[in-house]
Short mmCIF file of all heavy atoms in Angstrom, two decimals:
data_model
loop_
_atom_site.label_atom_id
_atom_site.label_comp_id
_atom_site.label_asym_id
_atom_site.label_seq_id
_atom_site.Cartn_x
_atom_site.Cartn_y
_atom_site.Cartn_z
N GLU C 151 27.62 11.73 34.31
CA GLU C 151 26.70 11.04 35.17
C GLU C 151 25.36 10.87 34.41
O GLU C 151 24.84 11.76 33.80
CB GLU C 151 26.39 11.97 36.48
CG GLU C 151 25.64 11.24 37.48
CD GLU C 151 25.53 12.06 38.80
OE1 GLU C 151 26.39 12.84 38.99
OE2 GLU C 151 24.58 11.86 39.44
N SER C 152 24.82 9.66 34.52
CA SER C 152 23.55 9.32 33.86
C SER C 152 22.42 9.69 34.81
O SER C 152 22.58 9.77 35.98
CB SER C 152 23.41 7.76 33.63
OG SER C 152 24.46 7.39 32.72
N PHE C 153 21.30 9.98 34.19
CA PHE C 153 20.16 10.38 35.01
C PHE C 153 18.83 9.86 34.28
O PHE C 153 18.86 9.52 33.13
CB PHE C 153 20.04 11.89 35.22
CG PHE C 153 20.17 12.70 33.93
CD1 PHE C 153 18.98 12.91 33.19
CD2 PHE C 153 21.36 13.11 33.47
CE1 PHE C 153 19.07 13.52 31.94
CE2 PHE C 153 21.46 13.85 32.32
CZ PHE C 153 20.34 14.06 31.57
N GLU C 154 17.73 9.78 35.04
CA GLU C 154 16.48 9.34 34.50
C GLU C 154 15.56 10.61 34.24
O GLU C 154 15.82 11.57 34.81
CB GLU C 154 15.80 8.35 35.47
CG GLU C 154 16.60 7.06 35.71
CD GLU C 154 16.69 6.26 34.37
OE1 GLU C 154 15.84 6.22 33.51
OE2 GLU C 154 17.82 5.77 34.11
N LYS C 155 14.44 10.36 33.52
CA LYS C 155 13.47 11.41 33.32
C LYS C 155 13.02 11.86 34.72
O LYS C 155 12.78 11.01 35.63
CB LYS C 155 12.36 10.81 32.49
CG LYS C 155 11.22 11.79 32.29
CD LYS C 155 10.12 11.24 31.41
CE LYS C 155 9.00 12.21 31.23
NZ LYS C 155 8.05 11.76 30.37
N GLY C 156 12.85 13.17 34.86
CA GLY C 156 12.37 13.77 36.15
C GLY C 156 13.48 14.08 37.19
O GLY C 156 13.18 14.64 38.15
N THR C 157 14.75 13.64 36.91
CA THR C 157 15.80 13.83 37.85
C THR C 157 16.09 15.36 38.02
O THR C 157 15.99 16.10 36.96
CB THR C 157 17.00 13.21 37.35
OG1 THR C 157 16.84 11.83 37.34
CG2 THR C 157 18.26 13.47 38.24
N GLU C 158 16.30 15.86 39.18
CA GLU C 158 16.63 17.22 39.45
C GLU C 158 18.05 17.38 38.85
O GLU C 158 19.01 16.73 39.27
CB GLU C 158 16.64 17.51 40.88
CG GLU C 158 15.15 17.53 41.45
CD GLU C 158 15.14 17.96 42.92
OE1 GLU C 158 16.29 18.26 43.56
OE2 GLU C 158 14.05 17.87 43.56
N LEU C 159 18.22 18.40 38.01
CA LEU C 159 19.53 18.71 37.44
C LEU C 159 20.21 19.85 38.11
O LEU C 159 21.24 19.78 38.50
CB LEU C 159 19.38 18.98 35.87
CG LEU C 159 18.76 17.88 35.03
CD1 LEU C 159 18.66 18.25 33.59
CD2 LEU C 159 19.69 16.56 35.08
N ILE C 160 19.42 20.91 38.15
CA ILE C 160 19.93 22.15 38.81
C ILE C 160 18.85 22.83 39.60
O ILE C 160 17.68 22.95 39.16
CB ILE C 160 20.49 23.14 37.66
CG1 ILE C 160 21.52 22.47 36.90
CG2 ILE C 160 20.82 24.49 38.26
CD1 ILE C 160 21.98 23.31 35.67
N SER C 161 19.11 23.33 40.81
CA SER C 161 18.28 24.19 41.57
C SER C 161 18.82 25.59 41.55
O SER C 161 20.02 25.73 41.68
CB SER C 161 18.24 23.70 43.03
OG SER C 161 17.74 22.38 43.05
N MET C 162 17.92 26.49 41.44
CA MET C 162 18.32 27.92 41.50
C MET C 162 17.25 28.73 42.25
O MET C 162 16.19 28.25 42.51
CB MET C 162 18.53 28.40 40.12
CG MET C 162 17.38 28.39 39.14
SD MET C 162 17.79 28.87 37.46
CE MET C 162 18.00 30.62 37.60
N HIS C 163 17.59 29.93 42.63
CA HIS C 163 16.67 30.81 43.22
C HIS C 163 16.83 32.26 42.73
O HIS C 163 17.89 32.56 42.16
CB HIS C 163 16.77 30.75 44.81
CG HIS C 163 18.07 31.18 45.41
ND1 HIS C 163 19.13 30.27 45.46
CD2 HIS C 163 18.48 32.47 45.79
CE1 HIS C 163 20.12 30.93 46.01
NE2 HIS C 163 19.82 32.18 46.22
N ALA C 164 15.84 33.08 42.87
CA ALA C 164 15.97 34.42 42.35
C ALA C 164 17.01 35.28 43.17
O ALA C 164 17.22 34.95 44.34
CB ALA C 164 14.59 35.08 42.58
N GLU C 165 17.52 36.18 42.41
CA GLU C 165 18.50 37.10 43.11
C GLU C 165 17.75 37.96 44.10
O GLU C 165 16.69 38.38 43.86
CB GLU C 165 19.22 38.01 42.07
CG GLU C 165 20.01 37.19 41.02
CD GLU C 165 20.55 38.19 39.95
OE1 GLU C 165 19.91 38.56 39.08
OE2 GLU C 165 21.82 38.41 40.10
N SER C 166 18.44 38.18 45.26
CA SER C 166 17.83 38.99 46.22
C SER C 166 17.94 40.45 46.07
O SER C 166 18.87 40.87 45.49
CB SER C 166 18.46 38.66 47.61
OG SER C 166 18.26 37.33 47.88
#
Side-chain angles (χ1 to χ4, degrees):
E151 189 173 335
S152 296
F153 53 83
E154 295 300 320
K155 179 178 177 178
T157 299
E158 293 181 2
L159 301 175
I160 298 171
S161 299
M162 58 187 289
H163 59 275
E165 294 179 283
S166 302

